[in-house]
Amino acid sequence: MRAERPPVPERLPAPAIDSHTHLDACGAATAADVTAILDRAESAGIARVVTVADDLAAARWAAQASTWDDRVYAAVAIHPTRTKEFGDAERSEVERLVTGERVVAVGETGLDYYWDYSPPEAQQEAFRWHIDLAKRAGLPLMIHDREAHEDVLRVLDEEGPPETVVFHCFSGDAEMARRCVAAGYVLSFAGTVTFRNARALHEAARLVPAEQFLVETDAPFLTPHPYRGRPNEPYCAAYTVRGLADLREERIEDVADAVRRNAERVFRLPSVTSG
C-alpha cells in the first residue's frame, strides 16, 4: 500500500516556486491531474512549478503538460542514466522540444556515477551536447550531479558554461558550494536540505548568497523532514522553504521571496508578487 502524502502545510507568507519536479512521476497524466496538483501547491504558497523530463517520453509529456495550466513550465533533456543509447534521433527530438513556448530550461542533464546504467563516457558525451544545446537555445542548463562533482565542474569548464547553470538537488559540501557560487552557478535545494543528518549540506545552504539559490521538490522523491519517505508533491516545497529559512536564520517570507525572484530571473518567468 502506498504511503499517504504529507499534509498540505500552512500557506507561505509569500509565494514561492518549485524549480524542479516531475509531475508525471507524481501520477499526473491528464490536464485535470495537473490542475489538481497545482491547486494543492498554490494552497501552500507554491505559485508555479517547472516539470522536468528524464527521457524522450517524459520530455514530450512535460512540454505538452506545460500548455495545460499557466502555473506549469517545462525542462527537457535526456537524464545521464539514460544516455547509453543517445543518437541522432534522440538529439533531433530534444532539439525540437526545447523550442516549445513554455520550455524554460535544458534539463536534467549531467553525470550520475551512483547508478551503473550508462557508461561515464556516454554520459559525458551527452552532457557536452546538452551544454552546447543550452547555449544555442539561449536557455539555462539544469544539472544532475550525483557522486560526480569534479567531472561535472571539469566538463563545464572545458565546454564553457551557458549564461545560467542550475545545480538541481545540490548535494555538495561547503567547498563545492563556494566553487559553484564563485562560478556564478545557481544552487537548487531539495528536501534533503531539511534532513537532520545532512550537516555538510546545511553548511553549504547557509553560505549561498540570496541571489543564487532556488528551492525544488524533485517530487515524487526526497520528501522533506518530517515526512521523509512519503510521496512528495510540489506543495511540499513549502516545508523546504521553511527549513531553509531556519538554517539560514532568515525570515520565511524573505526566503520565499528570494526563491520566487531567483526562479523568475533564471527561467525568465513573468513576475508574481502575491499569493
Side-chain angles (χ1 to χ4, degrees):
M1 181 174 165
R2 187 178 179 183
E4 184 180 354
R5 287 194 304 261
V8 178
E10 179 183 356
R11 190 183 188 93
L12 291 170
I17 292 173
D18 179 358
S19 294
H20 188 116
T21 191
H22 300 271
L23 294 182
D24 53 345
C26 289
T30 66
D33 296 336
V34 169
T35 295
I37 290 174
L38 267 294
D39 285 348
R40 283 193 288 276
E42 192 165 14
S43 72
I46 305 303
R48 287 170 292 182
V49 308
V50 179
T51 190
V52 181
D54 55 10
D55 61 19
L56 275 183
R60 295 184 193 105
W61 188 89
Q64 182 180 34
S66 69
T67 69
W68 292 342
D69 192 299
D70 287 344
R71 298 168 292 183
V72 179
Y73 296 87
V76 299
I78 303 298
H79 193 280
T81 60
R82 300 207 165 111
T83 55
K84 187 175 182 180
E85 296 181 0
F86 183 61
D88 291 343
E90 290 80 11
R91 296 179 189 205
S92 177
E93 181 75 349
V94 173
E95 286 190 331
R96 182 185 70 80
L97 289 168
V98 297
T99 65
E101 183 179 354
R102 297 179 66 81
V103 173
V104 296
V106 172
E108 59 187 283
T109 180
L111 303 175
D112 189 315
Y113 294 166
Y114 178 80
W115 298 107
D116 188 24
Y117 296 144
S118 298
E121 297 79 11
Q123 293 188 43
Q124 291 184 27
E125 181 183 357
F127 184 28
R128 292 177 192 276
W129 182 86
H130 282 97
I131 292 170
D132 178 66
L133 176 62
K135 290 191 284 191
R136 286 188 283 118
L139 291 175
L141 184 74
M142 187 181 283
I143 289 180
H144 174 102
D145 166 25
R146 191 166 187 186
E147 298 189 5
H149 301 329
E150 292 302 322
D151 276 359
V152 166
L153 292 175
R154 175 182 59 79
V155 171
L156 280 171
D157 185 58
E158 289 173 356
E159 294 298 315
E163 181 179 352
T164 304
V165 172
V166 177
F167 273 74
H168 135 68
C169 190
F170 181 77
S171 59
D173 59 11
E175 178 57 27
M176 175 70 174
R178 289 189 185 95
R179 292 168 69 184
C180 289
V181 166
Y185 303 152
V186 177
L187 308 187
S188 185
F189 293 98
T192 45
V193 80
T194 70
F195 295 174
R196 291 178 174 177
N197 61 348
R199 294 181 180 86
L201 188 56
H202 297 168
E203 186 179 353
R206 291 187 183 104
L207 64 84
V208 179
E211 66 275 11
Q212 281 180 262
F213 69 79
L214 298 170
V215 160
E216 63 172 82
T217 56
D218 199 23
F221 316 105
L222 306 180
T223 310
H225 177 81
Y227 302 104
R228 186 176 181 177
R230 292 202 200 178
N232 203 1
E233 212 178 84
Y235 68 81
C236 292
Y239 288 113
T240 303
V241 168
R242 288 186 168 91
L244 193 57
D246 185 54
L247 277 172
R248 292 171 62 89
E249 298 182 341
E250 296 172 355
R251 299 192 311 164
I252 295 169
E253 52 265 48
D254 291 341
V255 171
D257 193 57
V259 165
R260 176 190 60 79
R261 285 185 286 104
N262 292 342
E264 288 172 351
R265 183 188 76 249
V266 165
F267 301 116
R268 301 173 190 169
L269 309 182
S271 179
V272 170
T273 56
S274 62

